[in-house]
Amino acid sequence: MADQVLKFGIPKGSLENQTLELMRKSGWRITVGSRSYIPTTDDPALSCRILRPQEMPRYIADGSLDAGITGSDWIVENNVTLHQVESFVYAKATLTPSRWVLCVRNDSPVKQLEDLQGKRIATELVQFVTRILAERKVKAEVEFSWGATEAKVAEGIIDAAIDVTETGSSLRANGLRIVEELLISNPVLVANPAAWTDPWKQAKIRQLGILIRGALDADSRVFIKLNVAKANLEKVIALLPSITAPTISHLYPSPALKGVEWLGVETVIAEHTVRELFPKLLEAGAVGIVEFPLNKIIG
């Protein structure tokens, strides 16, 4: 049907390239022109728009979009109700969730949020911070920061900031210390509640979630296969992690095997284990180890 088109939001900025690559691995070819915010896609049932994560929740909530990927922090900031389909950690782009923290200069007397009474705070999450201050009965001036928030604190322009960080290393490098963690955020796939009640749209959104999750799960794993004499099989298997259990198959008993029973072993492992694992597999009797990249792991 002509009206069966899902309006889908892709986050602009730091997650844009990773999202487009995940979509490619998931099976969608999306092309973004250098001057266009309306990408083209090879799926006629998918209409994509590129929007800043900060405003994505608002447009999903009002029905301008059916679904999209944004940060859970911006859903909190916009104070909207959306249906969360998946929560993602981008394996090679975001090793840890983003944290919104209250930070001050090292020489600041502020030890807790309550010490900000009458102080000046800069943040991008103005509505969220305002609600937190009200809940904890702290009266302070909250102003929107367009960027360089850390520098404003370091230079003494403002008393404190509530800013986003992953490890805190940038804050420490600028002479700041973290007083308190206020919010943890991950990229999430969310849907407009009304769109989620539509059977076709829900099925399409689920399809996106399953395949993107599959691409993410595969992003940090590899498929390996190897051969091993049956006498050494248990030693090799003891070294191999897998999702369920390795696949074992018998090799054709050709004259080249000289009467020795050989087996083929296949499994999926975490990519970062390869450098430690492969030498141990060789020592345990494995031969012909082959590694393959993966696009998706489903289920």
Side-chain angles (χ1 to χ4, degrees):
M1 293 176 60
D3 61 345
Q4 288 188 328
V5 174
L6 188 81
K7 297 172 290 185
F8 187 72
I10 294 172
K12 182 173 176 57
S14 60
L15 291 178
E16 181 179 343
N17 290 336
Q18 290 90 341
T19 302
L20 291 173
E21 177 61 13
L22 280 171
M23 294 291 287
R24 184 193 68 78
K25 288 184 176 181
S26 301
W28 284 273
R29 296 296 187 269
I30 299 173
T31 304
V32 181
S34 60
R35 297 179 180 274
S36 175
Y37 285 87
I38 304 177
T40 58
T41 173
D42 61 351
D43 183 352
L46 190 67
S47 176
C48 295
R49 296 293 185 272
I50 294 182
L51 294 169
R52 290 177 61 82
Q54 292 92 326
E55 58 186 357
M56 186 92 68
R58 185 170 73 251
Y59 291 117
I60 297 175
D62 71 12
S64 299
L65 296 172
D66 296 311
I69 294 174
T70 186
S72 57
D73 45 2
W74 300 115
I75 297 173
V76 172
E77 169 66 4
N78 282 270
N79 198 24
V80 293
T81 301
L82 302 174
H83 183 87
Q84 181 170 312
V85 183
E86 282 278 2
S87 177
F88 303 125
V89 175
Y90 284 32
K92 292 184 178 179
T94 305
L95 298 179
T96 57
S98 297
R99 301 182 298 145
W100 286 89
V101 297
L102 166 61
C103 57
V104 296
R105 283 171 42 149
N106 283 329
D107 59 359
S108 171
V110 173
K111 303 296 182 186
Q112 57 185 353
L113 185 138
E114 283 72 14
D115 295 336
L116 294 174
Q117 192 78 25
K119 303 292 186 183
R120 208 169 153 207
I121 308 167
T123 185
E124 287 185 74
L125 297 182
V126 173
Q127 300 305 317
F128 168 72
V129 173
T130 300
R131 292 196 299 271
I132 290 290
L133 291 174
E135 288 170 9
R136 294 172 63 170
K137 297 179 172 54
V138 176
K139 291 186 178 181
E141 181 184 344
V142 183
E143 60 184 55
F144 180 79
S145 175
W146 293 95
T149 312
E150 297 172 10
K152 295 171 188 173
V153 182
E155 294 171 9
I157 298 173
I158 55 174
D159 299 298
I162 294 172
D163 204 5
V164 67
T165 184
E166 289 181 11
T167 65
S169 57
S170 177
L171 298 176
R172 291 190 292 273
N174 282 284
L176 307 182
R177 60 179 168 85
I178 295 174
V179 175
E180 185 177 341
E181 180 179 280
L182 297 176
L183 182 67
I184 297 177
S185 174
N186 280 319
V188 289
L189 170 61
V190 289
N192 173 278
W196 189 251
T197 63
D198 179 287
W200 182 88
K201 289 184 178 180
Q202 182 179 135
K204 188 68 175 176
I205 296 166
R206 285 187 183 277
Q207 177 193 36
L208 285 160
I210 289 169
L211 293 175
I212 293 172
R213 166 58 61 195
L216 269 172
D217 287 346
D219 198 38
S220 58
R221 299 181 187 180
V222 293
F223 177 83
I224 66 167
K225 60 190 304 182
L226 57 88
N227 295 333
V228 61
K230 186 174 182 180
N232 295 323
L233 178 63
E234 293 305 319
K235 290 190 293 183
V236 167
I237 294 299
L239 294 169
L240 288 176
S242 65
I243 295 174
T244 50
T247 300
I248 310 296
S249 58
H250 289 268
L251 300 191
Y252 181 77
S254 70
L257 300 182
K258 300 178 181 180
V260 177
E261 186 175 0
W262 281 79
L263 303 166
V265 180
E266 299 176 350
T267 191
V268 173
I269 62 172
E271 187 176 23
H272 73 270
T273 66
V274 165
R275 61 190 181 203
E276 304 290 339
L277 180 60
F278 280 15
K280 293 177 182 178
L281 289 172
L282 289 172
E283 290 176 9
V287 298
I289 305 172
V290 182
E291 175 187 333
F292 299 93
L294 297 170
N295 274 342
K296 288 180 282 294
I297 299 175
I298 306 297

